Amino acid sequence: MTGEAIAALAPLGLRCEQRTEPLGIDERAPLLSWRLASSRRGDAPARHRVRVWDEAGALSWDTGWVSDPEAVSVRYAGAPLSARTRYRWEVAVTGRDGATAEAGSWFETGQLSPAAWQASWITHDTSDLDVVDAPEEGEVALADHGLSPAVRLRRPFRVPAGPPVRARLYVTARGLYELRLNGHRVGDDELAPGWTDYRDRIDYRTHDVTGLVAAGENVLAATLADGWWSGFVGFDPRRSGAHYGTFPQLLAELHLYHADGHREVIVTDGTWRTRRSPIRYADLLKGECHDLRRDTPGWDRPGFGDAEGWLPAQVTGDDHDLLTAAVAPPVRAVEELAARTVTRVGDDRHLVDFGQNFAGRVRLTARGLTPGARVVIRHGEALDADGALYTDNLRTADATDVLIGGDDAVVVFEPRFTYHGFRYAEVSGLRELDPSDITGVVLHSDTPWVGEFACSDPDIERLHRAIVWGQRSNFVSVPTDCPQRDERLGWLADAQVFLPTACLNADVAAFFEGWLREVRGAQSPDGCFPNVAPRLAGVADEGAPGWGDAGVLVPWHLYRVYGDERFLERNLDAMCAWVDFVHRHNPDLVWRHRVGPHFADWLAPTPTPREVVATAYFARSTELTARAAGVLGRDDLADRYGTLAGHIRKTFAERFVTPGGRIAGDTQTAYLLALAFELLPGGNGGEAASRAAERLAELVEAAGPGVTTGFLGVGLIAPVLDACGRPDLAHALLRRTDPPSWLFPLRHGATTIWERWDGYTDERGFQAAAMNSFNHYALGSIGEWLYQGVAGLALAPGSTGYRELLIRPRPGDLAWARATYTSVRGTVATAWAREDGVLRLEVSVPPGATAVVHVPTGDPGGVREGGVPVDGAEGVEVLGTGPGTLLCRVTSGDYRFTADDPMLAVP
């Protein structure tokens, strides 16, 4: 990792609002941030300067030179930003040697205010949809699930002079939209505008369409489908669909800026024309049906003269108060998977294996079609004992796409307004299917991938890949629980337990900022967070312990990882309201009232008493609320909630901890919560904690060694065992292959993390189909320890934004491991390998950061760095020794340590 060339300190990776060159933001004081790079040891910024210019070149803000060696971001505090304006900005950084380097970027504002909108909400004449399409002669009626067709909308307009010098399209929908301009698709967003609680907030997005507008006649066109707005969502039979509305609506403005300085605005209004589309229905759970007999080619381009069946658009309102610019990255088609195998299973039926469970759709080239011929694509995660597609666990999600042939014999079919969770697809209706004619299209929110992990054990590498694919499959607009069955909800506990792993895999700052708006919006007036966000209409939802607590835990963890205090500023009031809600209903400080559905340690083989789980989380949320208030200088709140947290810890010890150190329930999760949340008398350095750690180790060893936790305990088990001096047990759990274990599903063909430890066994087959997802990320929260424990790459306790690092590899019996993470400050990397009795450890620390490095060794006196004794190496300060390790502090730069291999797991 050490480079030969000496490069000066330089800024890079400039971002605005956690995004690279964002187009259309509504934040009036955006955060401008940058990373740092240098190949020189000890390099750090001495000062920085940020300047911002408007599109006319006028200086909007100049921080001047600021001496702050820790800063990698500033909040804009210049002249008020103007709507629909591009700003150029530049950061200059001066190193300790006096050399200065600069980098530049841009951001563009959106509408900035609901008052800026001129467009009306429009939709199709819904009375036209009451006319049911009769089947053709000899045709079996189509099961449309009671859904209405998707509709097309179009608006011709003229540009009399030359094309505009700039064109911006601001668009959203109650439902899903796909925009086209002169026959060309606008943008690459999928399932746009994404899922929000439309009663509280509707996201809009901005598109640069300058290159699509021509002189003369133009056509702006859209297809509109149900989506989360009026389609099927969730699993509650009392309210399975139409949670927010009954039919989708579109809102759009096209702003054209001409060379002579004038601006023209094309808006959605009553002049648009609409028609039912060839998409007879499109639903996220049921699937999508395209009937090409009903197509009208050329409808989205100039010169289209077929007015038959086109009706005036219906204006449904002019309300704009809920419109906000989207902050989370959009869902995109990010990868394509070739068919691994195509197997004929009938005369016109084929089974396709993509080799990977994922969220998305297929793109199929159908050959030999005749008018009215049907091609049906069913999706599933697994095969049954007979090798047929297994769909029982989808429950009421049909996950079936249908193509009905029209005039063309060869058609490329790719659904646009649905997605499925699947590995296998069964295609019926084609005599022949070549593998090259079908492709898996992977969809997920386009979060930048910033982490890499690898090690010498192929099984653990497969586990890491399964964790990553689970994250990709379930970060689809919101953090869902699963992508396949009739659920796909934003469960709060799943998100909070997996968040530490998610942050190491990808940059999820903007993604979770968007979701936290939903969490806050779903909080009840009396302070209760929900179990799922966005909320569903008509579904009662009071947060359970560990679920509702995500409203506190998620903002705190995001603050620690990204160093952005706004995660706390925006959520502190909601955090306080949640703690007050629990306290108000449980004045004796044991959380037993108003616990919602109380899922406890969900799906744990050994259940933990509910009051233990609840009270532990009550203490944790209260403590973190106190810390958040302290960070923000709210000393009154910090004192209040800090005192309350102390009382809850005392109550927990009195009610649930015996004089002999046993915790009520005597389960792994009970000890994990007590130790991870520091609930025992004397803290984690006290005698009670020591006894708890010993008992935890006994329980793990007695189980195999094995894990008997559920969703709430699983992410804690390896880090807590490690902190208690038993990383050997954490490694043993990683390598276990019998259920419950992480490797058991992999030995049974899993490519993502299962919902249940035993979702399938040779003895019992599939678990109950009522709840048996094969793509759930919660149990994948072990991924955090792969980075932090196995590879040794961690944020130091008490630090934020990776200002201080903890490099502490836990080799176990592995031969090598490595991890790289692009933090908000710069790139952090570790790599260690053992060979011929020597352990080599490479470390990269970004400029302005420091790291405490634990070098595993059997002989601390023999550790060398860069070929010289460690106590004489540049940038290295020896701090002391520990059991089987040498501790040292390093400044920024690249380091190479060599040491005698301890050969055994590091204590």
Side-chain angles (χ1 to χ4, degrees):
M1 289 183 286
T2 301
E4 295 299 326
I6 302 299
L9 181 73
L12 74 164
L14 275 61
R15 297 186 301 166
C16 171
E17 286 297 288
Q18 312 288 4
R19 290 171 285 165
T20 301
E21 299 178 344
L23 182 64
I25 65 170
D26 276 355
E27 175 60 52
R28 295 177 180 272
L31 184 76
L32 306 176
S33 59
W34 58 92
R35 299 186 177 101
L36 296 167
S38 173
S39 63
R40 300 186 298 198
R41 288 191 181 180
D43 227 343
R47 57 181 189 161
H48 67 268
R49 181 184 188 184
V50 174
R51 289 176 290 176
V52 181
W53 297 268
D54 66 18
E55 58 193 21
L59 186 65
S60 298
W61 188 44
D62 185 351
T63 64
W65 286 103
V66 179
S67 297
D68 185 350
E70 296 189 4
V72 287
S73 66
V74 295
R75 294 194 210 182
Y76 177 82
L81 299 177
S82 299
R84 301 177 296 275
T85 302
R86 178 165 294 193
Y87 290 85
R88 179 173 61 88
W89 69 283
E90 183 179 271
V91 58
V93 176
T94 299
R96 291 174 179 171
D97 60 356
T100 298
E102 301 174 343
S105 185
W106 59 265
F107 64 88
E108 187 170 312
T109 54
Q111 300 278 49
L112 281 186
S113 167
W117 285 86
Q118 305 172 46
S120 300
W121 290 96
I122 62 172
T123 191
H124 186 66
D125 184 349
T126 54
S127 65
D128 175 62
L129 300 175
D130 294 334
V131 180
V132 179
D133 286 322
E136 300 282 339
E137 184 177 351
E139 179 185 51
V140 177
L142 182 71
D144 62 8
H145 312 288
L147 295 162
S148 298
V151 297
R152 287 173 167 173
L153 308 92
R154 70 188 309 269
R155 162 72 149 83
F157 64 95
R158 290 192 62 81
V159 177
V165 295
R166 186 175 72 174
R168 296 291 185 270
L169 182 60
Y170 306 92
V171 59
T172 189
R174 292 167 172 151
L176 302 180
Y177 68 83
E178 182 180 276
L179 266 293
R180 304 185 73 82
L181 186 51
N182 295 331
H184 300 282
R185 185 179 175 191
V186 174
D188 57 2
D189 299 4
E190 303 285 351
L191 307 179
W195 187 10
T196 59
D197 185 338
Y198 304 89
R199 298 163 299 182
D200 294 335
R201 178 171 66 94
I202 303 174
D203 282 349
Y204 74 89
R205 294 196 180 273
T206 304
H207 298 279
D208 182 350
V209 294
T210 306
L212 300 181
V213 182
E217 185 180 358
N218 294 262
V219 172
L220 182 59
T223 303
L224 200 56
D226 287 316
W228 294 280
W229 164 262
S230 50
F232 289 98
V233 181
F235 57 88
D236 192 326
R238 297 166 298 178
R239 189 70 177 270
S240 58
H243 284 271
Y244 307 103
T246 57
F247 196 76
Q249 304 163 38
L250 179 70
L251 184 81
E253 292 186 4
L254 174 61
H255 289 239
L256 306 176
Y257 298 83
H258 296 282
D260 61 4
H262 86 275
R263 175 170 59 99
E264 181 182 5
V265 182
I266 311 298
V267 303
T268 46
D269 57 20
T271 65
W272 285 59
R273 307 286 288 182
T274 71
R275 177 190 170 112
R276 284 186 281 181
S277 81
I279 302 175
R280 293 177 61 170
Y281 61 84
D283 184 77
L284 295 168
L285 300 184
K286 300 300 183 182
E288 191 164 324
C289 174
H290 289 208
D291 189 343
L292 300 185
R293 295 171 301 179
R294 290 157 172 77
D295 200 6
T296 52
W299 71 279
D300 57 351
R301 294 188 294 273
F304 179 70
D306 184 3
E308 183 180 354
W310 290 84
L311 304 173
Q314 302 295 300
V315 174
T316 60
D318 298 304
D319 49 312
H320 307 125
D321 290 345
L322 302 182
L323 298 176
T324 60
V327 297
V331 175
R332 289 191 172 102
V334 296
E335 185 176 343
E336 295 185 354
L337 300 176
R340 179 172 292 183
T341 61
V342 175
T343 305
R344 182 184 295 276
V345 292
D347 288 344
D348 66 348
R349 195 158 48 93
H350 299 81
L351 187 65
V352 183
D353 178 7
F354 292 101
Q356 174 64 56
N357 200 348
F358 67 102
R361 62 195 183 216
V362 302
R363 181 170 62 246
L364 172 69
T365 300
R367 304 180 188 277
L369 284 182
T370 57
R374 294 190 188 186
V375 178
V376 178
I377 308 173
R378 300 170 59 234
H379 305 78
E381 296 183 286
L383 303 179
D384 64 20
D386 297 324
L389 192 70
Y390 177 75
T391 61
D392 290 352
N393 68 326
L394 304 185
R395 302 191 304 213
T396 64
D398 291 83
T400 300
D401 299 328
V402 180
L403 171 66
I404 301 176
D407 294 336
D408 297 327
V410 179
V411 172
V412 177
F413 172 51
E414 183 173 356
R416 312 303 301 187
F417 302 106
T418 190
Y419 80 99
H420 313 290
F422 66 105
R423 170 177 173 170
Y424 302 94
E426 181 194 82
V427 182
S428 301
L430 294 177
R431 295 285 300 176
E432 302 294 335
L433 180 60
D434 189 272
S436 63
D437 284 339
I438 188 165
T439 300
V441 180
V442 179
L443 300 181
H444 64 74
S445 293
D446 197 8
T447 55
W449 293 93
V450 295
E452 296 180 3
F453 169 85
C455 72
S456 57
D457 188 325
D459 281 341
I460 296 178
E461 286 197 329
R462 288 176 59 209
L463 170 62
H464 174 67
R465 288 195 297 272
I467 292 169
V468 168
W469 274 101
Q471 179 170 336
R472 299 177 75 183
S473 303
N474 285 290
F475 280 20
V476 180
S477 185
V478 302
T480 63
D481 59 324
C482 58
Q484 75 295 102
R485 67 187 181 211
D486 58 349
E487 195 160 350
R488 311 186 199 182
L489 302 175
W491 287 96
L492 270 67
D494 302 50
Q496 68 95 351
V497 300
F498 188 71
L499 180 63
T501 296
C503 288
L504 288 164
N505 286 332
D507 180 350
V508 296
F511 176 80
F512 272 97
E513 170 56 27
W515 184 64
L516 280 172
R517 292 183 177 186
E518 299 306 310
V519 174
R520 292 193 301 271
Q523 189 174 30
S524 68
D526 61 354
C528 184
F529 282 124
N531 290 302
V532 299
R535 291 179 301 167
L536 296 178
V539 178
D541 189 41
E542 190 165 279
W547 272 251
D549 294 285
V552 175
L553 275 63
V554 170
W556 176 257
H557 190 78
L558 293 171
Y559 159 68
R560 286 206 63 221
V561 170
Y562 299 109
D564 186 352
E565 291 184 3
R566 297 179 305 169
F567 284 118
L568 304 182
E569 292 172 358
R570 292 165 175 165
N571 293 282
L572 181 61
D573 288 347
M575 296 160 74
C576 293
W578 167 251
V579 173
D580 291 345
F581 167 81
V582 178
H583 187 200
R584 186 165 57 251
H585 293 286
N586 299 274
D588 67 349
L589 307 185
V590 175
W591 188 5
R592 61 168 69 92
H593 304 296
R594 300 299 290 272
V595 292
H598 209 323
F599 302 111
D601 188 21
W602 184 245
L603 294 181
T606 304
T608 300
R610 296 186 174 202
E611 291 182 3
V612 172
V613 172
T615 306
Y617 268 97
F618 183 21
R620 183 62 170 171
S621 285
T622 306
E623 173 64 27
L624 294 185
T625 299
R627 293 187 195 178
V631 169
L632 299 176
R634 297 294 305 276
D635 294 342
D636 55 334
L637 295 177
D639 291 344
R640 172 185 164 191
Y641 290 107
T643 299
L644 177 59
H647 292 323
I648 301 170
R649 287 194 296 269
K650 184 173 183 292
T651 299
F652 182 92
E654 292 172 348
R655 297 293 292 269
F656 303 123
V657 183
T658 70
R662 296 292 177 93
I663 299 177
D666 198 33
T667 67
Q668 291 180 9
T669 294
Y671 293 98
L672 290 169
L673 293 173
L675 289 165
F677 298 169
E678 299 187 38
L679 303 180
L680 298 171
N684 277 4
E687 182 180 350
S690 177
R691 290 197 298 266
E694 291 175 0
R695 181 56 182 160
L696 172 63
E698 290 173 358
L699 291 171
V700 171
E701 289 173 328
V707 57
T708 60
T709 68
F711 278 26
L712 298 184
V714 66
L716 303 176
I717 192 163
V720 170
L721 285 170
D722 190 346
C724 293
R726 296 303 304 271
D728 59 313
L729 285 180
H731 274 282
L733 295 180
L734 268 182
R735 309 296 274 276
R736 180 183 169 99
T737 57
D738 294 331
S741 71
W742 289 282
L743 296 188
F744 174 78
L746 301 184
R747 297 291 175 89
H748 285 73
T751 59
T752 47
I753 300 300
W754 290 357
E755 178 179 23
R756 315 177 71 111
W757 294 112
D758 58 349
Y760 177 89
T761 64
D762 293 332
E763 296 78 18
R764 299 192 305 274
F766 292 107
Q767 273 278 10
M771 192 183 66
N772 194 22
S773 159
F774 295 105
N775 197 344
H776 242 74
Y777 55 55
L779 297 183
S781 52
I782 184 65
E784 177 190 23
W785 196 71
L786 298 183
Y787 284 95
Q788 297 185 353
V790 175
L793 188 159
L795 174 64
S799 180
T800 59
Y802 284 81
R803 175 66 180 82
E804 298 171 356
L805 312 175
L806 176 62
I807 308 298
R808 192 185 186 200
R810 315 306 261 169
D813 59 356
L814 295 172
W816 60 267
R818 62 174 180 267
T820 301
Y821 173 67
T822 305
S823 75
V824 293
R825 188 165 300 276
T827 299
V828 184
T830 66
W832 60 263
R834 58 203 328 175
E835 186 177 7
D836 298 331
V838 176
L839 185 139
R840 293 176 173 81
L841 172 63
E842 299 182 17
V843 178
S844 290
V845 180
T850 62
V852 172
V853 181
H854 293 239
V855 182
T857 181
D859 178 17
V863 176
R864 301 172 74 84
E865 194 287 312
V868 302
V870 69
D871 56 2
E874 177 192 3
V876 180
E877 174 192 2
V878 176
L879 301 178
T881 61
T885 186
L886 173 75
L887 284 71
C888 55
R889 186 188 307 278
V890 301
T891 59
S892 63
D894 297 335
Y895 298 85
R896 293 187 176 186
F897 298 93
T898 57
D900 288 348
D901 186 352
M903 295 301 295
L904 301 174
V906 179

